[in-house]
Amino acid sequence: MIAASAVPSSAALERITRRTTRVGLVSGGLGAYWPQFPGLLPQLQDSAAFVTRRLESMGCEVTDAGFVSDPKEAAVAADVLRRADCDIIVTFLTTYLTSSMVLPIAQRSGSPVLIIDLQPTEAMDHSTFDTGRWLAYCGQCPLPEVANVLRRSGIPFRSVSGHLRDENAWNRIGRWIGAAGVRAALRHGRHGLMGHLYPGMLDVSTDMTLVSAQLGGHVEVLEFDDLRVRVDAVTDQQAAERVALAREVFTLDASVDGNDFDWAARVSVGLDRLVEDFSLDSLAYYHRGLDGELHERLGAGMILGASLLTARGLPVAGEYELRTSLAMLVADTLGAGGSFTELQALNFRDGVVEMGHDGPAHLAISSKDPLLRGLGVYHGKRGWGVSVEFDVTHGPVTTFGLGQEADGSLVFIASEGEVVPGPLLEIGNTTSRVDFGVDPGEWTDAWSASGIGHHWTLCTGHRAKDLKAAADLLGLPFRLVDGTGVL
């Protein structure tokens, strides 16, 4: 889950509700056993009910297609799950069943497939078990058969073996359910792209068609005028209310100018309207502007509103960074926060990489009350106004970004480290000191060689396994980086 922070639970900061992850479930065993061993089927059905309850406890919407005993029943279950538009199909092998019972479910659903076999307890009581009682522990028996048939059918799958109360197994199952939530967020997401590319940042350029083709979802192209008309409509009272909210959320530095603060509040309210009107799930933006004209002022006034939205679960990235706003959405969906980040400096004395960014931040993962600082100039950008200064919660973190290859294919890239305390710049930027356990220069070389772009997201927790699972469901490569290179 996202780390606790000092952000208040104001209505204006309530988490944005996303589509609930839809999990399809079908359980099964070989019908030939039921007349031979009359007590077996009720026991297996009880196990299936337990699995249903555990999945529902993860906050999923579970479509339980029931218990199947032969290929005909499996075909009926397959149609139920196909109509449910599931984000992942969980097939519970309660005992031996034939692969012909699993294949139609995997073929017809069009969803990623997770095979689980969870025996009743850690081990059988060999001295008292007969054949009927043993068969309840035989769910792993058909797994190689099922796996072989799915491979031969060209259907990707993943599996978890364990017992019903095996928390290690349930953690692995939970990882796949979380990955399905990421897939759903991207598949059904609407991603705003407002303004234009930061001039000269060729790595940031992203093919929107390939994003939709590989991840699903829709990229909505916006103009800064779409924001301008909504900011124009903000009332004095609404602006005052947003200023009051910001005073709750942030510590205000003496450098904050009242007029700039009011303007940022108005842009924040207008930005909320923009994302609501276009039903956005993420947003990337940039506008250069000139000589203090209105569009320049809008771009410069984005940081407050972008940070408040990001804290609510709607990530906003500057510099037109579509791939990073998508990475931030992935991280937030996994409960890892995810703040807009780039390299800032290397500290060889302390053995840390200093990273962060000017502009939007994920306030919900701040180590303490974030600071709002007034800036007379935004380095490398036109405009002036208020900016956010904060440090990500100390402890395990993961850097994560989406790379785009020469053929246009996307790739998940991650590295695990730890945010540690120490001196930070006080210039209105987000900054964290990350220790990757190796020489900072070696890590930087390895990270830069991975295919990552200029920006990425800094997530709380060690999330490599979660991100690898998400990449698997999306059909994308995954790269893990340490100081020696790409693993």
Side-chain angles (χ1 to χ4, degrees), residues 381-396:
K381 304 180 184 69
R382 294 189 172 124
W384 65 92
V386 296
S387 190
V388 174
E389 192 172 292
F390 95 141
D391 178 18
V392 167
T393 299
H394 298 176

Side-chain angles (χ1 to χ4, degrees), residues 8-16 242 245 248 272 276 312:
S9 57
S10 165
L13 279 178
E14 289 181 358
R15 290 279 300 173
I16 290 171
R242 188 54 52 95
L245 172 65
E248 290 183 58
D272 285 359
E276 291 168 5
R312 296 175 58 202

Side-chain angles (χ1 to χ4, degrees), residues 284-401:
Y285 72 93
Y286 175 75
H287 184 81
R288 181 171 58 185
L290 184 65
D291 295 336
E293 51 85 28
L294 180 56
H295 293 84
E296 177 185 305
R297 294 291 292 133
L298 286 167
M302 289 280 291
I303 294 173
L304 173 63
S307 298
L308 293 173
L309 278 171
T310 301
R312 296 175 58 202
L314 196 152
V316 183
E319 298 180 15
Y320 213 61
E321 254 291 15
L322 173 60
R323 295 199 309 276
T324 301
S325 62
L326 294 173
M328 292 165 68
L329 178 61
V330 169
D332 193 86
T333 302
L334 290 172
S339 201
F340 191 41
T341 306
E342 66 183 5
L343 289 172
Q344 291 179 326
L346 304 182
N347 188 326
F348 292 95
R349 181 187 59 217
D350 296 341
V352 298
V353 180
E354 297 182 21
M355 60 178 67
H357 209 279
D358 61 318
H362 198 310
L363 306 178
I365 61 171
S366 178
S367 63
K368 56 184 179 181
D369 285 357
L371 180 76
L372 206 60
R373 186 182 294 278
L375 297 178
V377 61
Y378 291 152
H379 71 273
K381 304 180 184 69
R382 294 189 172 124
W384 65 92
V386 296
S387 190
V388 174
E389 192 172 292
F390 95 141
D391 178 18
V392 167
T393 299
H394 298 176
V397 291
T398 303
T399 56
F400 164 58

Side-chain angles (χ1 to χ4, degrees), residues 38 56 73 113 128 312 426:
E56 289 174 339
E73 292 179 357
V113 176
T128 63
R312 296 175 58 202
E426 299 179 354

Side-chain angles (χ1 to χ4, degrees), residues 54-108:
R54 281 296 300 253
L55 291 174
E56 289 174 339
S57 73
M58 297 179 186
C60 307
E61 178 185 323
V62 179
T63 298
D64 189 343
F67 198 102
V68 300
S69 302
D70 57 42
K72 286 185 178 180
E73 292 179 357
V76 173
D79 286 338
V80 170
L81 297 177
R82 176 182 54 80
R83 291 193 297 271
D85 187 26
C86 299
D87 301 312
I88 192 168
I89 302 295
V90 179
T91 301
F92 179 21
L93 312 180
T94 66
T95 185
Y96 176 73
L97 47 66
T98 63
S99 50
S100 64
M101 296 168 60
V102 178
L103 183 58
I105 294 168
Q107 285 176 319
R108 299 178 192 179

Side-chain angles (χ1 to χ4, degrees), residues 43-57:
Q43 179 183 3
L44 301 181
Q45 289 172 326
D46 285 345
S47 294
F50 178 87
V51 168
T52 300
R53 292 192 297 272
R54 281 296 300 253
L55 291 174
E56 289 174 339
S57 73

